[in-house]
PDB file of all heavy atoms in Angstrom:
ATOM      1  N   GLY A  32       4.459   8.901 -20.717  1.00  0.00           N
ATOM      2  CA  GLY A  32       5.524   9.577 -19.994  1.00  0.00           C
ATOM      3  C   GLY A  32       5.150   9.991 -18.585  1.00  0.00           C
ATOM      4  O   GLY A  32       5.991  10.490 -17.847  1.00  0.00           O
ATOM      5  N   LEU A  33       3.884   9.801 -18.207  1.00  0.00           N
ATOM      6  CA  LEU A  33       3.447  10.082 -16.845  1.00  0.00           C
ATOM      7  C   LEU A  33       3.023   8.775 -16.187  1.00  0.00           C
ATOM      8  O   LEU A  33       2.438   7.912 -16.839  1.00  0.00           O
ATOM      9  CB  LEU A  33       2.279  11.067 -16.824  1.00  0.00           C
ATOM     10  CG  LEU A  33       2.529  12.453 -17.389  1.00  0.00           C
ATOM     11  CD1 LEU A  33       1.278  13.307 -17.274  1.00  0.00           C
ATOM     12  CD2 LEU A  33       3.692  13.126 -16.702  1.00  0.00           C
ATOM     13  N   ALA A  34       3.308   8.655 -14.887  1.00  0.00           N
ATOM     14  CA  ALA A  34       2.971   7.421 -14.177  1.00  0.00           C
ATOM     15  C   ALA A  34       2.651   7.743 -12.725  1.00  0.00           C
ATOM     16  O   ALA A  34       3.157   8.718 -12.162  1.00  0.00           O
ATOM     17  CB  ALA A  34       4.135   6.433 -14.243  1.00  0.00           C
ATOM     18  N   THR A  35       1.819   6.895 -12.118  1.00  0.00           N
ATOM     19  CA  THR A  35       1.515   7.025 -10.701  1.00  0.00           C
ATOM     20  C   THR A  35       2.679   6.460  -9.890  1.00  0.00           C
ATOM     21  O   THR A  35       3.593   5.827 -10.428  1.00  0.00           O
ATOM     22  CB  THR A  35       0.231   6.261 -10.342  1.00  0.00           C
ATOM     23  OG1 THR A  35       0.457   4.865 -10.573  1.00  0.00           O
ATOM     24  CG2 THR A  35      -0.951   6.763 -11.144  1.00  0.00           C
ATOM     25  N   PHE A  36       2.621   6.654  -8.582  1.00  0.00           N
ATOM     26  CA  PHE A  36       3.676   6.143  -7.708  1.00  0.00           C
ATOM     27  C   PHE A  36       3.794   4.630  -7.832  1.00  0.00           C
ATOM     28  O   PHE A  36       4.894   4.082  -7.924  1.00  0.00           O
ATOM     29  CB  PHE A  36       3.389   6.547  -6.254  1.00  0.00           C
ATOM     30  CG  PHE A  36       4.459   6.136  -5.299  1.00  0.00           C
ATOM     31  CD1 PHE A  36       5.584   6.907  -5.117  1.00  0.00           C
ATOM     32  CD2 PHE A  36       4.350   4.954  -4.577  1.00  0.00           C
ATOM     33  CE1 PHE A  36       6.576   6.523  -4.239  1.00  0.00           C
ATOM     34  CE2 PHE A  36       5.333   4.556  -3.701  1.00  0.00           C
ATOM     35  CZ  PHE A  36       6.453   5.348  -3.533  1.00  0.00           C
ATOM     36  N   ARG A  37       2.659   3.944  -7.843  1.00  0.00           N
ATOM     37  CA  ARG A  37       2.693   2.479  -7.942  1.00  0.00           C
ATOM     38  C   ARG A  37       3.232   2.012  -9.288  1.00  0.00           C
ATOM     39  O   ARG A  37       3.929   1.003  -9.381  1.00  0.00           O
ATOM     40  CB  ARG A  37       1.299   1.899  -7.710  1.00  0.00           C
ATOM     41  CG  ARG A  37       0.890   1.950  -6.267  1.00  0.00           C
ATOM     42  CD  ARG A  37      -0.406   1.214  -6.054  1.00  0.00           C
ATOM     43  NE  ARG A  37      -0.761   1.209  -4.651  1.00  0.00           N
ATOM     44  CZ  ARG A  37      -1.728   0.502  -4.149  1.00  0.00           C
ATOM     45  NH1 ARG A  37      -2.463  -0.256  -4.929  1.00  0.00           N
ATOM     46  NH2 ARG A  37      -2.002   0.547  -2.865  1.00  0.00           N
ATOM     47  N   LEU A  39       5.417   3.652 -11.048  1.00  0.00           N
ATOM     48  CA  LEU A  39       6.862   3.868 -10.973  1.00  0.00           C
ATOM     49  C   LEU A  39       7.528   2.737 -10.201  1.00  0.00           C
ATOM     50  O   LEU A  39       8.583   2.239 -10.606  1.00  0.00           O
ATOM     51  CB  LEU A  39       7.172   5.208 -10.303  1.00  0.00           C
ATOM     52  CG  LEU A  39       6.885   6.466 -11.107  1.00  0.00           C
ATOM     53  CD1 LEU A  39       7.174   7.704 -10.261  1.00  0.00           C
ATOM     54  CD2 LEU A  39       7.683   6.504 -12.388  1.00  0.00           C
ATOM     55  N   ARG A  45      11.414   5.590  -8.487  1.00  0.00           N
ATOM     56  CA  ARG A  45      10.786   6.397  -7.446  1.00  0.00           C
ATOM     57  C   ARG A  45      10.731   7.832  -7.943  1.00  0.00           C
ATOM     58  O   ARG A  45      11.496   8.207  -8.830  1.00  0.00           O
ATOM     59  CB  ARG A  45      11.549   6.297  -6.134  1.00  0.00           C
ATOM     60  CG  ARG A  45      12.978   6.803  -6.232  1.00  0.00           C
ATOM     61  CD  ARG A  45      13.743   6.562  -4.935  1.00  0.00           C
ATOM     62  NE  ARG A  45      15.152   6.834  -5.129  1.00  0.00           N
ATOM     63  CZ  ARG A  45      15.737   8.005  -4.874  1.00  0.00           C
ATOM     64  NH1 ARG A  45      15.022   8.997  -4.407  1.00  0.00           N
ATOM     65  NH2 ARG A  45      17.015   8.177  -5.082  1.00  0.00           N
ATOM     66  N   PRO A  46       9.821   8.658  -7.406  1.00  0.00           N
ATOM     67  CA  PRO A  46       9.720  10.037  -7.891  1.00  0.00           C
ATOM     68  C   PRO A  46      11.010  10.834  -7.725  1.00  0.00           C
ATOM     69  O   PRO A  46      11.320  11.692  -8.551  1.00  0.00           O
ATOM     70  CB  PRO A  46       8.589  10.642  -7.054  1.00  0.00           C
ATOM     71  CG  PRO A  46       7.776   9.485  -6.633  1.00  0.00           C
ATOM     72  CD  PRO A  46       8.728   8.342  -6.480  1.00  0.00           C
ATOM     73  N   GLY A  47      11.763  10.595  -6.673  1.00  0.00           N
ATOM     74  CA  GLY A  47      13.054  11.248  -6.524  1.00  0.00           C
ATOM     75  C   GLY A  47      12.973  12.737  -6.241  1.00  0.00           C
ATOM     76  O   GLY A  47      13.829  13.492  -6.675  1.00  0.00           O
ATOM     77  N   GLY A  48      11.933  13.177  -5.531  1.00  0.00           N
ATOM     78  CA  GLY A  48      11.842  14.572  -5.147  1.00  0.00           C
ATOM     79  C   GLY A  48      11.202  15.478  -6.174  1.00  0.00           C
ATOM     80  O   GLY A  48      11.062  16.677  -5.936  1.00  0.00           O
ATOM     81  N   GLN A  49      10.814  14.948  -7.308  1.00  0.00           N
ATOM     82  CA  GLN A  49      10.173  15.796  -8.319  1.00  0.00           C
ATOM     83  C   GLN A  49       8.759  16.158  -7.902  1.00  0.00           C
ATOM     84  O   GLN A  49       8.103  15.415  -7.181  1.00  0.00           O
ATOM     85  CB  GLN A  49      10.174  15.095  -9.681  1.00  0.00           C
ATOM     86  CG  GLN A  49       9.310  13.854  -9.726  1.00  0.00           C
ATOM     87  CD  GLN A  49       9.183  13.294 -11.118  1.00  0.00           C
ATOM     88  OE1 GLN A  49       8.738  13.988 -12.011  1.00  0.00           O
ATOM     89  NE2 GLN A  49       9.583  12.046 -11.282  1.00  0.00           N
ATOM     90  N   PRO A  50       8.266  17.303  -8.329  1.00  0.00           N
ATOM     91  CA  PRO A  50       6.901  17.678  -7.957  1.00  0.00           C
ATOM     92  C   PRO A  50       5.871  16.889  -8.757  1.00  0.00           C
ATOM     93  O   PRO A  50       6.171  16.324  -9.812  1.00  0.00           O
ATOM     94  CB  PRO A  50       6.835  19.165  -8.307  1.00  0.00           C
ATOM     95  CG  PRO A  50       7.840  19.320  -9.400  1.00  0.00           C
ATOM     96  CD  PRO A  50       8.941  18.342  -9.098  1.00  0.00           C
ATOM     97  N   VAL A  51       4.657  16.868  -8.257  1.00  0.00           N
ATOM     98  CA  VAL A  51       3.545  16.247  -8.971  1.00  0.00           C
ATOM     99  C   VAL A  51       3.251  17.107 -10.195  1.00  0.00           C
ATOM    100  O   VAL A  51       3.164  18.325 -10.092  1.00  0.00           O
ATOM    101  CB  VAL A  51       2.307  16.161  -8.047  1.00  0.00           C
ATOM    102  CG1 VAL A  51       1.107  15.667  -8.807  1.00  0.00           C
ATOM    103  CG2 VAL A  51       2.598  15.285  -6.858  1.00  0.00           C
ATOM    104  N   VAL A  52       3.107  16.474 -11.367  1.00  0.00           N
ATOM    105  CA  VAL A  52       2.885  17.249 -12.591  1.00  0.00           C
ATOM    106  C   VAL A  52       1.441  17.204 -13.074  1.00  0.00           C
ATOM    107  O   VAL A  52       1.033  18.061 -13.847  1.00  0.00           O
ATOM    108  CB  VAL A  52       3.829  16.801 -13.727  1.00  0.00           C
ATOM    109  CG1 VAL A  52       5.266  17.106 -13.366  1.00  0.00           C
ATOM    110  CG2 VAL A  52       3.663  15.332 -14.035  1.00  0.00           C
ATOM    111  N   ALA A  53       0.689  16.204 -12.642  1.00  0.00           N
ATOM    112  CA  ALA A  53      -0.702  16.098 -13.077  1.00  0.00           C
ATOM    113  C   ALA A  53      -1.467  15.240 -12.082  1.00  0.00           C
ATOM    114  O   ALA A  53      -0.893  14.664 -11.153  1.00  0.00           O
ATOM    115  CB  ALA A  53      -0.795  15.511 -14.475  1.00  0.00           C
ATOM    116  N   ALA A  67      -5.284  10.139  -8.087  1.00  0.00           N
ATOM    117  CA  ALA A  67      -3.908   9.643  -8.087  1.00  0.00           C
ATOM    118  C   ALA A  67      -3.032  10.722  -8.703  1.00  0.00           C
ATOM    119  O   ALA A  67      -3.427  11.377  -9.667  1.00  0.00           O
ATOM    120  CB  ALA A  67      -3.799   8.344  -8.883  1.00  0.00           C
ATOM    121  N   TYR A  68      -1.865  10.914  -8.138  1.00  0.00           N
ATOM    122  CA  TYR A  68      -0.955  11.922  -8.649  1.00  0.00           C
ATOM    123  C   TYR A  68      -0.009  11.300  -9.655  1.00  0.00           C
ATOM    124  O   TYR A  68       0.406  10.155  -9.515  1.00  0.00           O
ATOM    125  CB  TYR A  68      -0.195  12.574  -7.501  1.00  0.00           C
ATOM    126  CG  TYR A  68      -1.112  13.291  -6.550  1.00  0.00           C
ATOM    127  CD1 TYR A  68      -1.327  12.820  -5.272  1.00  0.00           C
ATOM    128  CD2 TYR A  68      -1.794  14.425  -6.955  1.00  0.00           C
ATOM    129  CE1 TYR A  68      -2.191  13.465  -4.406  1.00  0.00           C
ATOM    130  CE2 TYR A  68      -2.658  15.089  -6.099  1.00  0.00           C
ATOM    131  CZ  TYR A  68      -2.847  14.601  -4.837  1.00  0.00           C
ATOM    132  OH  TYR A  68      -3.708  15.235  -3.985  1.00  0.00           O
ATOM    133  N   LEU A  69       0.340  12.068 -10.666  1.00  0.00           N
ATOM    134  CA  LEU A  69       1.183  11.584 -11.742  1.00  0.00           C
ATOM    135  C   LEU A  69       2.549  12.279 -11.710  1.00  0.00           C
ATOM    136  O   LEU A  69       2.637  13.479 -11.435  1.00  0.00           O
ATOM    137  CB  LEU A  69       0.517  11.839 -13.097  1.00  0.00           C
ATOM    138  CG  LEU A  69      -0.801  11.115 -13.323  1.00  0.00           C
ATOM    139  CD1 LEU A  69      -1.465  11.611 -14.593  1.00  0.00           C
ATOM    140  CD2 LEU A  69      -0.573   9.620 -13.404  1.00  0.00           C
ATOM    141  N   TYR A  70       3.587  11.498 -11.992  1.00  0.00           N
ATOM    142  CA  TYR A  70       4.957  11.978 -12.029  1.00  0.00           C
ATOM    143  C   TYR A  70       5.552  11.708 -13.405  1.00  0.00           C
ATOM    144  O   TYR A  70       5.110  10.798 -14.113  1.00  0.00           O
ATOM    145  CB  TYR A  70       5.807  11.266 -10.965  1.00  0.00           C
ATOM    146  CG  TYR A  70       5.282  11.422  -9.573  1.00  0.00           C
ATOM    147  CD1 TYR A  70       4.416  10.482  -9.026  1.00  0.00           C
ATOM    148  CD2 TYR A  70       5.638  12.505  -8.790  1.00  0.00           C
ATOM    149  CE1 TYR A  70       3.929  10.623  -7.739  1.00  0.00           C
ATOM    150  CE2 TYR A  70       5.152  12.658  -7.495  1.00  0.00           C
ATOM    151  CZ  TYR A  70       4.299  11.707  -6.987  1.00  0.00           C
ATOM    152  OH  TYR A  70       3.813  11.853  -5.722  1.00  0.00           O
ATOM    153  N   ARG A  71       6.584  12.458 -13.759  1.00  0.00           N
ATOM    154  CA  ARG A  71       7.254  12.224 -15.037  1.00  0.00           C
ATOM    155  C   ARG A  71       8.188  11.028 -14.907  1.00  0.00           C
ATOM    156  O   ARG A  71       8.997  10.946 -13.984  1.00  0.00           O
ATOM    157  CB  ARG A  71       8.038  13.462 -15.453  1.00  0.00           C
ATOM    158  CG  ARG A  71       7.124  14.588 -15.881  1.00  0.00           C
ATOM    159  CD  ARG A  71       7.861  15.814 -16.309  1.00  0.00           C
ATOM    160  NE  ARG A  71       8.974  15.519 -17.210  1.00  0.00           N
ATOM    161  CZ  ARG A  71       9.814  16.450 -17.648  1.00  0.00           C
ATOM    162  NH1 ARG A  71       9.679  17.701 -17.283  1.00  0.00           N
ATOM    163  NH2 ARG A  71      10.789  16.113 -18.457  1.00  0.00           N
ATOM    164  N   VAL A  72       8.105  10.115 -15.851  1.00  0.00           N
ATOM    165  CA  VAL A  72       8.926   8.902 -15.820  1.00  0.00           C
ATOM    166  C   VAL A  72      10.376   9.234 -16.133  1.00  0.00           C
ATOM    167  O   VAL A  72      11.300   8.661 -15.552  1.00  0.00           O
ATOM    168  CB  VAL A  72       8.366   7.847 -16.806  1.00  0.00           C
ATOM    169  CG1 VAL A  72       9.253   6.620 -16.858  1.00  0.00           C
ATOM    170  CG2 VAL A  72       6.957   7.457 -16.416  1.00  0.00           C
ATOM    171  N   ASP A  73      10.607  10.191 -17.030  1.00  0.00           N
ATOM    172  CA  ASP A  73      11.983  10.508 -17.427  1.00  0.00           C
ATOM    173  C   ASP A  73      12.779  11.178 -16.304  1.00  0.00           C
ATOM    174  O   ASP A  73      14.006  11.125 -16.297  1.00  0.00           O
ATOM    175  CB  ASP A  73      12.002  11.380 -18.678  1.00  0.00           C
ATOM    176  CG  ASP A  73      11.264  12.697 -18.505  1.00  0.00           C
ATOM    177  OD1 ASP A  73      10.418  12.779 -17.598  1.00  0.00           O
ATOM    178  OD2 ASP A  73      11.533  13.631 -19.279  1.00  0.00           O
ATOM    179  N   LEU A  74      12.118  11.780 -15.321  1.00  0.00           N
ATOM    180  CA  LEU A  74      12.807  12.399 -14.187  1.00  0.00           C
ATOM    181  C   LEU A  74      12.897  11.488 -12.969  1.00  0.00           C
ATOM    182  O   LEU A  74      13.505  11.863 -11.958  1.00  0.00           O
ATOM    183  CB  LEU A  74      12.096  13.700 -13.778  1.00  0.00           C
ATOM    184  CG  LEU A  74      12.081  14.824 -14.808  1.00  0.00           C
ATOM    185  CD1 LEU A  74      11.332  16.022 -14.263  1.00  0.00           C
ATOM    186  CD2 LEU A  74      13.495  15.210 -15.218  1.00  0.00           C
ATOM    187  N   ALA A  75      12.290  10.313 -13.043  1.00  0.00           N
ATOM    188  CA  ALA A  75      12.287   9.388 -11.908  1.00  0.00           C
ATOM    189  C   ALA A  75      13.669   8.779 -11.708  1.00  0.00           C
ATOM    190  O   ALA A  75      14.434   8.591 -12.654  1.00  0.00           O
ATOM    191  CB  ALA A  75      11.261   8.292 -12.127  1.00  0.00           C
TER     192      ALA A  75
END
Side-chain angles (χ1 to χ4, degrees):
L33 298 181
T35 64
F36 183 84
R37 286 187 177 189
L39 288 177
R45 61 185 170 94
Q49 66 172 302
V51 174
V52 295
Y68 298 111
L69 297 171
Y70 303 92
R71 288 181 46 184
V72 176
D73 59 339
L74 296 179

